[in-house]
Amino acid sequence: QVQLVESGGGLVQGGGSLRLSCAASGRPFSTYAMGWFRQAPGKEREFVAAINWRGATYYADSVKGRFTISRDNAKNTVYLQMNRLKPEDTAVYYCAARATIVVTATSTDYDYWGQGTQVTVSS
């Protein structure tokens, strides 16, 4: 079993930055594929970014060039640095873990989820 706890959400003005953190516990973290997803009110959960065990990264087109996913295996933590935030980035952001080295952009492929952290971007 893996427990994931997100932190770092909040209210920010458009153009600003936030860094989300996701602390993992319970199982060896280093070989897990990790992802960030988000869900805005009235919308389906969507893929944001993912990182595999070697550090290869993948992004949704909507965040490419603005967001950066990274991981620190020594700290069992994955990060999402979000720059140049836009009002349409407003959502609850979820960290997810997949018990395999292969990343995907499909939420149902992930085995473990955090409780989510709210990000609100004002215009």
Side-chain angles (χ1 to χ4, degrees):
Q1 192 74 11
V2 173
Q3 294 80 42
L4 303 173
V5 179
E6 302 100 333
S7 60
L11 173 64
V12 64
Q13 203 166 13
S17 298
L18 281 175
R19 188 174 83 153
L20 306 183
S21 299
C22 172
S25 61
R27 281 290 179 94
F29 170 80
S30 61
T31 59
Y32 277 43
M34 301 297 298
W36 286 97
F37 291 77
R38 67 187 181 187
Q39 188 166 17
K43 294 188 177 181
E44 292 191 355
R45 192 168 296 188
E46 65 174 3
F47 171 74
V48 175
I51 186 167
N52 73 5
W53 68 291
R54 289 184 173 181
T57 58
Y58 308 85
Y59 298 95
D61 288 342
S62 59
V63 306
K64 204 172 291 184
R66 299 188 298 123
F67 291 11
T68 302
I69 187 172
S70 61
R71 66 192 297 163
D72 185 336
N73 289 337
K75 295 183 178 179
N76 281 8
T77 301
V78 63
Y79 304 97
L80 185 67
Q81 177 68 44
M82 305 186 295
N83 298 327
R84 291 184 281 136
L85 281 160
K86 304 175 182 179
E88 50 263 44
D89 294 318
T90 295
V92 177
Y93 283 70
Y94 296 91
C95 174
R98 189 165 187 243
T100 173
I101 62 174
V102 179
V103 298
T104 80
T106 304
S107 60
T108 53
D109 288 339
Y110 286 78
D111 303 297
Y112 307 100
W113 291 85
Q115 81 289 350
T117 185
Q118 176 70 47
V119 171
T120 303
V121 184
S122 63
S123 56

